[in-house]
Each structure stands twice: as C-alpha cells, then as structure tokens.
Amino acid sequence: MPNRLAEERSPYLRQHAHNPVEWYPWGDDALSRAAAEDKPILLSIGYSACHWCHVMERESFDDPATAALMNELFVNVKVDREERPDLDQIYQLVVQMMGRSGGWPLTVFLTPERKPFYAGTYFPPVERYGMPSFATVLRAVREAWDHRRDEIVRTADELTSDIVRATTTRSDARDVPSDVATRAAKKLATRFDEAHGGFGSRPKFPSTMSLDVMLRAAHAGDATMGARVRKALDAMRAGGIWDHLGGGFHRYSTDERWLVPHFEKMLYDNALLMRLYADAHRAWGDARDAETVRAIASWVTREMTDAEGAFYATQDADSEGEEGKFFVWRPEELDALLAPEESAVAKLAWGVAEGGNFEHTGATVLHANRALDVVATRLGITVEEARARLEPARAKLFDAREKRPKPFRDEKVIATWNGLMIGALADASGALGDRALLEMARRALATVRARLWDGAALKRVWMEGEARIDAFLEDHADLAGAALDVHEASGDRDALDFAKALVDRAIERFWDEDERSFRFASKDARDLIAHTRDAYDHAVPSGTSSIAHALLRLGAHLGDERYERIAESVLRANVGSALDQPMGFGHLIGAMDRYARGATEVMIVAREDDARADPLLDVARRAWAPNRVLARVDPGAGDVGLASRLGGRRQQNGGPTAYVCRARACGLAITRADELARDLRP
C-alpha cells in the first residue's frame, strides 16, 4: 500500500511523503485497517523544525529495511503536533507515566481502539545511548502483541484509565494569596542559575513565563528578583541562542551558558521573548531591551510574514542536511568577506577562532564574546572605532549569509501562535512608542481573522488558501488576548468586540460546568480517548492560563462579572499546584497575580478625535504596570464597562483627563502626563 502523506497540507507530513513507510495521516482509514487486520498502530508525532525528528527520519524511516519491518508489523500513522496538539498532549502522558521524559519525535504504540500500551521518543537505528535499536523495539512490541495479548490489553486499559484520571482530577479550591507572584518567585529562585542566568543546567530553555513571574515579584518590591531577570535577559542576548546577524532567538541552548543552540526558530518563542524584553524596557528603560524587541520584529518581518501580514510557524534547525550550517562561521570566511580591520574586531567581538565552538565542525556560533571596550583595548583603538568597524562587518556577513541555502520554513499560519505574536507586537508598540509595531499587529489580526474566523467558529490552521482543523482552547484564548492588546494599543473598538466573540465561543465549546474547568479540545471531539484539562505551561502558555487572562481583562473592559467568576473558578482550583510547581504554571500565576492584586485600570476620558489625549495614552502604555487595563472613554458615553468605575466624574476643564483605579476605587483626576507617570510608578 502507498504512503498517503503527499496530499496532506501539513509541511511536516509532506516531509515524510517520500518515505518507504506506508504512512497514514490520523483518521478513520488507519483505524479501520488496524482493526480489520488486527494490527497495532505505530503513531509517530513530530513537527517540521524538529532536529531529532529529521535524524530519526534519515536513520529509520528512509531506510528500506526498517520501513519494510514497520509496514509488515504495524499500521503507521504520522501526526503534526502543531496541527493536533490535543493528540500530542494525550500521548505525551504515556511516556511520562512510564517514567521517561517526553519530547519529539514521540513514538507510541496503540491498539486499534487508540489505547496506548508502549511509548518512547527517539530510537536509534542501532543500540546506543543506552537505548535499544528501533528495529529491536519494533520486533519486541509485535512479539508481545502476538503472544501476550492479554498483557498488552491490560496495560492499554490501565494506561488509558490513568490518562482519563490524570486529565479529570480537580484540585481543591483555595483562595489566591495576594503575594502569589512573590511566593512563586522565591521558589523559582531555588532553581535559578546565578552564574549564567536562566533556570537549570543543560539543555537550557528561555523559560519566559517563569522570568515573568520574577519580574512581577520585582514590581511588587523584590529587587533581587529584578536582578535575576536582568541577568537572564542579558545572558540570552549575549549568547549564541540569539542570532547576532539576523535577529531572533533560537529554540534553546544545548549548554548552560547559552552558547550553542538548537538552531530552529519558533514564532511562539520569539513572541514570548518580545513581550518579556518589552516589559523589561518598561521596568528599567534600557535601550538594549528596546533594540532586542525591534530586532525580533525585523526578523519576523523579513522571514516570518506572508504577503497579507500573517505569520508563519517555524524555521528549521537544518539546512543542506546539517544542523546549524546556515548560522555558523569560520575565521577564513570572515577574512575573505571583511576588510582586515573589520575582521579583527568581528572575530574578537563574536568569538570566532580556529577550532570553533560548534561540536567538532571547526565552525563558530557567533556570540558576544567580549564587550566592545575590551575589544577596543585589545586592538589599541577607541570604543567608537570598534563600533564603527563592527556594524559594517555585521551587514556584510548578513548579506553573505543570505546567499546561503536557507533552512526550511514551515508556512502554516497557526491561530494561537499568531495570537501570541500579534499581542506581543501590540504590547511592545506601547512600551517603545513605536507605531510600526502596532501596524504589524493590526494587519496580522485583520488577516488571521478574515482567514480563520467565519463570524461564529474559529479554525486553527491556514495553509495554501485553506482554513483547516477546528480550533482548540489555546487558539481562542491567545487570539482573544491579542485582540485585547490591539484594542488597548489603538483604541480599536472592533478588536474588543472580536475578543468578546472569541471568549464567548471558548466558553461555549470548552467550559465544563460540572468540572469547573476548560477542556483543551472541544466537548464534542470524537477521536480522543480522553479530554485534557491541562493548566500546565509547556513551550507555550497553557490554554487554561491564556483564557484566564482573557477572561479577567475582558471582564474589566466590559464590566461583566460573569467572565471574572469563571476565571476565579479556574484560578482557585489551580493555586495549590501552581505554588507547588511554579516552573510549570508561570502564565497562570500571572493571571493569579492580576486577580489577587487587582488590575491597575487607567481610563483616559477624551473624544476619539482629540489628539491632546495622546501624551496621556503614551504614558499609560509605557508604564511598568503588569496588570494594567487601559481604556479611552468618550466623555459623552454612558457609564458602561470600565467607565462605570468613574461614578460620573468626567473631563477637567474640557480637556483629556486620566483616572487611575485600583481595587475598584478611582483616584483624583489627572490632566498632565508627568502626573500620570508618577501615579503609575511602582
């Protein structure tokens, strides 16, 4: 039977369309064949930018002998986790329940009824790394299926029951303490790497949501937490995890020093980091943070934006069949491309030396090896001269790199990830006072809305002119959050209405009144063995945490306590878990902080066409106020939504007037931008 992936829209599935494996996409055809032939299912889950997915493909799925064994013994199914995160969440639990670490490629063996009985991740073609060969695993699993079926069925039933139990158990409701962010930050600090910044050792991920918790604790008065965030942000920006020529962050560092990354670039990582650096700029006013935000936006514009303004999903780690080849450099390449004085500065500044630092290739991952003043001293020149040589060197190397074969780009437009980037751009536009970032956000929101929202239902993925796959909780929540960010950055009322429509749809499709929790997939999904209700953050914020933020913000804007009551149920049910394991609940802790400390509500009473309000709006958007809600209130409007807090107070002397409300009580009228800035200072 043929490989059935060539007609699929997913770039990841298409990458496997040439394999001699008789792959099926997930669906009835594969399940029916497994049942008819009494064969177990081999389910392989990955994504297009996954380096080890490519490795396993080259070693096993492209190997005729291994493929023949797979075809003989199993019905083989490929899934793109970016399209079906609901399946990925469920079957990742199997690996964890077997005492192993999850990850991709995910390899799971199922009964024809979709029940899992054995799982792992990457398997090598020969025995190594303390793991059996993939062929050994295939034969052993099939031997057990043929000769110990009762044991297999019992294991599958037990694992499925454990998954159902793990995804339905609720925590006892508890009050959310007002110092929830500070408590969580103190626990996070025990895992902070004081030498290199960030958390843990190797591999080291940016952990943006945990750093956000620390930044919130800093806002609440803990300066040591702020110092830790500053150290992590500077270390990441200096390391090889940052692309020093083209901007943007790679996925993670393979070492504890942020030096050598896995080179894939993900839209969502860069969205989360853009927002974090924008908040850092609000906190400290450091020009380096603003530069980082703009450099990420530049990369997104250049590499990740389609013709109508929506954002692509990922860039691969590999090019020309080698990981990182597009990004690394050798000394002789710099000498050939640069003037001698430029090459001397560039080598010292970016650590390019004989032998390199990237595995055993002799090539170097560029990193901020030495500060410019140190470089200048070594070369006997001024710092200004060093900078004047480094910038043209950067431009020349970038231009030369652009002529290399580029890594593969996955051009799926995914609702949730677009939501994260749109929201980050809109928020950063206020932090930096940069209208260009806002226009990027507004254009992307309009395009994603037109493609994926039909006025009543949301799709998850746009690819090649087609909207596909019913959206999940995270898609509704992150796109609603983005619409709220655009509304606060621009005053666009239509964006607020869109956020409300998305949140209402999320409540309708995902809210389980009996369990008082949100499901990840729609309540009417039929091809799942369980419904996850995961509040735990993974590479992206959990759908539960994102919808909690959206509910609280929307409730404040509309003055509708129904949204806040649902959010309260979610937060109270998870506060115990969040304080026990803050590394996995950073985004939800942010929502808890908003709920417990209360929002800082800033209302600017001014007509839509009154430009005199701009200085007040600019101050409100630049202020370091993590739980800020910002609204422009027409002086002739009725007391609805946030305006109901004003209690009849309006403009002073006929001009734009600001009111800051905390704990649902509003302060005195403010008409000057400098006075508003003082009021909003921590």
Side-chain angles (χ1 to χ4, degrees):
M1 291 186 182
N3 183 317
R4 292 163 174 78
L5 301 185
E7 299 303 315
E8 292 298 307
R9 289 286 189 269
S10 160
Y12 174 65
L13 297 189
R14 286 181 183 173
Q15 287 174 353
H16 292 268
H18 67 277
N19 299 157
V21 178
E22 296 170 3
W23 290 118
Y24 283 81
W26 179 268
D28 290 340
D29 288 350
L31 300 174
S32 297
R33 183 184 169 197
E37 298 184 9
D38 191 33
K39 277 186 174 182
I41 295 167
L42 191 165
L43 174 63
S44 178
I45 301 179
Y47 59 99
S48 65
C50 166
H51 171 66
W52 284 101
C53 299
H54 299 329
V55 172
M56 192 165 178
E57 179 188 17
R58 289 194 297 268
E59 293 176 342
S60 296
F61 304 149
D62 272 341
D63 176 61
T66 304
L69 195 61
M70 293 171 66
N71 297 335
E72 176 189 354
L73 302 181
F74 301 95
V75 173
N76 303 291
V77 177
K78 259 287 172 199
V79 166
D80 183 341
R81 68 168 293 265
E82 295 170 356
E83 291 193 339
R84 292 299 304 267
D86 53 338
L87 294 171
D88 184 56
Q89 278 198 1
I90 290 167
Y91 293 115
Q92 287 284 351
L93 287 172
V94 183
V95 185
Q96 296 162 24
M97 287 172 175
M98 296 178 71
R100 305 188 186 105
S101 297
W104 303 278
L106 178 65
T107 307
V108 190
F109 296 90
L110 315 176
T111 70
E113 295 76 32
R114 296 164 290 154
K115 295 180 179 181
F117 59 89
Y118 185 74
T121 51
Y122 164 81
F123 289 105
V126 295
E127 184 176 349
R128 64 181 182 223
Y129 311 130
M131 292 187 288
S133 73
F134 189 43
T136 298
V137 171
L138 296 175
R139 292 189 181 96
V141 169
R142 184 57 196 259
E143 191 276 335
W145 176 261
D146 290 338
H147 300 291
R148 301 196 302 278
R149 182 71 63 88
D150 290 346
E151 179 184 333
I152 292 291
V153 170
R154 185 167 57 252
T155 298
D157 287 343
E158 289 173 354
L159 281 170
T160 301
S161 295
D162 288 345
I163 290 169
V164 171
R165 191 159 43 248
T167 55
T168 56
T169 301
R170 286 193 298 141
S171 303
D172 293 332
R174 291 170 49 179
D175 291 335
V176 180
S178 60
D179 62 345
V180 61
T182 300
R183 288 195 202 182
K186 287 179 179 176
K187 196 157 190 176
L188 289 169
T190 64
R191 298 185 60 178
F192 192 79
D193 182 349
E194 303 288 356
H196 304 106
F199 299 93
S201 54
R202 65 175 73 181
K204 183 174 280 188
F205 291 82
S207 300
T208 48
M209 291 165 275
S210 294
L211 291 172
D212 176 69
V213 172
M214 285 187 160
L215 194 58
R216 286 173 177 274
H219 181 268
D222 190 334
T224 60
M225 295 300 172
R228 290 187 173 102
V229 175
R230 181 75 270 162
K231 184 176 188 64
L233 295 182
D234 290 346
M236 287 190 290
R237 183 63 169 77
I241 193 173
W242 172 254
D243 182 351
H244 289 264
L245 299 183
F249 285 93
H250 299 292
R251 180 74 188 91
Y252 64 90
S253 175
T254 61
D255 55 74
E256 70 281 357
R257 296 180 295 148
W258 304 107
L259 178 59
V260 177
H262 260 308
F263 289 89
E264 61 264 38
K265 288 183 181 178
M266 319 298 285
L267 183 69
Y268 58 77
D269 282 325
N270 283 279
L272 295 169
L273 284 157
M274 176 185 285
R275 192 182 285 270
L276 185 62
Y277 278 90
D279 278 339
H281 182 66
R282 287 186 172 105
W284 298 302
D286 194 318
R288 294 173 298 171
D289 297 322
E291 178 194 344
T292 301
V293 168
R294 290 192 173 98
I296 294 172
S298 178
W299 166 73
V300 171
T301 300
R302 186 182 68 249
E303 299 288 350
M304 303 298 286
T305 304
D306 73 16
E308 295 178 289
F311 304 126
Y312 299 132
T314 64
Q315 278 186 313
D316 211 324
D318 298 8
S319 57
E320 301 180 81
E322 296 181 27
E323 185 187 10
K325 186 172 182 179
F326 179 77
F327 297 99
V328 297
W329 294 88
R330 290 177 171 79
E332 60 269 22
E333 293 176 301
L334 271 65
D335 290 337
L337 291 165
L338 306 177
E341 63 274 13
E342 294 169 345
S343 183
V345 170
K347 287 177 186 176
L348 287 174
W350 290 325
V352 182
E354 294 295 335
N357 59 21
F358 182 46
E359 296 177 345
H360 305 293
T361 65
T364 296
V365 180
L366 302 187
H367 58 290
N369 186 55
R370 295 178 179 85
L372 269 186
D373 58 344
V374 176
V375 172
T377 299
R378 286 277 297 270
L379 296 175
I381 58 177
T382 66
V383 172
E384 290 71 21
E385 287 173 319
R387 184 175 292 110
R389 296 176 186 180
L390 188 62
E391 289 312 308
R394 189 193 312 273
K396 290 177 183 178
L397 292 180
F398 174 78
D399 289 344
R401 196 179 77 175
E402 284 292 280
K403 296 180 175 65
R404 295 175 176 177
K406 286 193 173 184
F408 173 79
R409 180 174 63 194
D410 188 323
E411 296 187 353
K412 292 195 303 292
V413 172
I414 300 175
T416 174
W417 298 0
N418 270 256
L420 293 173
M421 182 55 75
I422 292 165
L425 286 163
D427 180 66
S429 75
L432 276 60
D434 189 331
R435 294 285 302 181
L437 301 180
L438 176 58
E439 291 313 309
M440 282 181 68
R442 297 186 73 172
R443 182 176 181 231
L445 183 65
T447 297
V448 171
R449 181 176 180 176
R451 291 176 178 177
L452 297 177
W453 174 252
D454 66 3
L458 184 68
K459 294 293 186 182
R460 177 175 176 84
V461 175
W462 174 272
M463 183 80 186
E464 297 177 348
E466 180 186 357
R468 298 181 301 110
I469 304 172
D470 290 343
F472 301 102
L473 175 63
E474 62 182 4
D475 298 296
H476 291 77
D478 289 325
L479 207 53
L484 288 168
D485 285 317
V486 168
H487 170 67
E488 293 198 4
S490 66
D492 183 348
R493 175 71 199 197
D494 191 49
L496 180 61
D497 293 340
F498 184 39
K500 181 181 186 303
L502 287 166
V503 170
D504 288 345
R505 179 67 170 164
I507 294 170
E508 175 189 338
R509 295 193 69 217
F510 306 104
W511 175 244
D512 188 325
E513 186 66 32
D514 293 334
E515 292 284 338
R516 304 297 292 170
S517 63
F518 281 94
R519 299 186 183 198
F520 183 87
S522 173
K523 290 180 282 189
D524 59 7
R526 293 288 177 263
D527 61 348
L528 306 176
I529 61 170
H531 274 276
T532 58
R533 294 170 173 81
D534 195 2
Y536 195 93
D537 297 324
H538 297 280
V540 294
S542 69
T544 295
S545 62
S546 291
I547 198 67
H549 278 276
L551 287 162
L552 291 173
R553 295 175 68 192
L554 187 64
H557 272 290
L558 301 181
D560 190 336
E561 293 185 356
R562 177 176 65 107
Y563 298 116
E564 295 172 347
R565 284 197 299 271
I566 295 174
E568 179 183 31
S569 294
V570 170
L571 299 178
R572 294 185 70 231
N574 287 284
V575 66
S577 298
L579 287 174
D580 286 344
Q581 306 172 64
M583 279 297 294
F585 288 88
H587 199 51
L588 196 63
I589 290 167
M592 292 174 184
D593 181 57
R594 177 181 289 271
Y595 169 78
R597 282 206 287 162
T600 299
E601 299 169 342
V602 184
M603 282 161 281
I604 313 296
V605 183
R607 295 189 315 274
E608 290 294 325
D609 60 352
D610 192 342
R612 294 176 298 167
D614 290 349
L616 292 172
L617 290 163
D618 184 59
V619 163
R621 290 166 181 148
R622 288 178 183 268
W624 185 27
N627 299 323
R628 185 207 69 212
V629 176
L630 174 62
R632 184 171 187 155
V633 179
D634 190 290
D639 289 345
V640 295
L642 275 181
S644 64
R645 307 266 202 271
L646 295 177
R649 285 173 283 185
R650 288 292 183 260
Q651 288 187 331
Q652 298 291 302
N653 302 318
T657 304
Y659 294 90
V660 179
C661 307
R662 298 179 175 91
R664 299 180 180 267
C666 297
L668 298 175
I670 298 172
T671 58
R672 289 171 43 186
D674 59 341
E675 292 176 351
L676 180 59
R678 280 196 297 272
D679 190 282
L680 292 175
R681 242 175 242 135

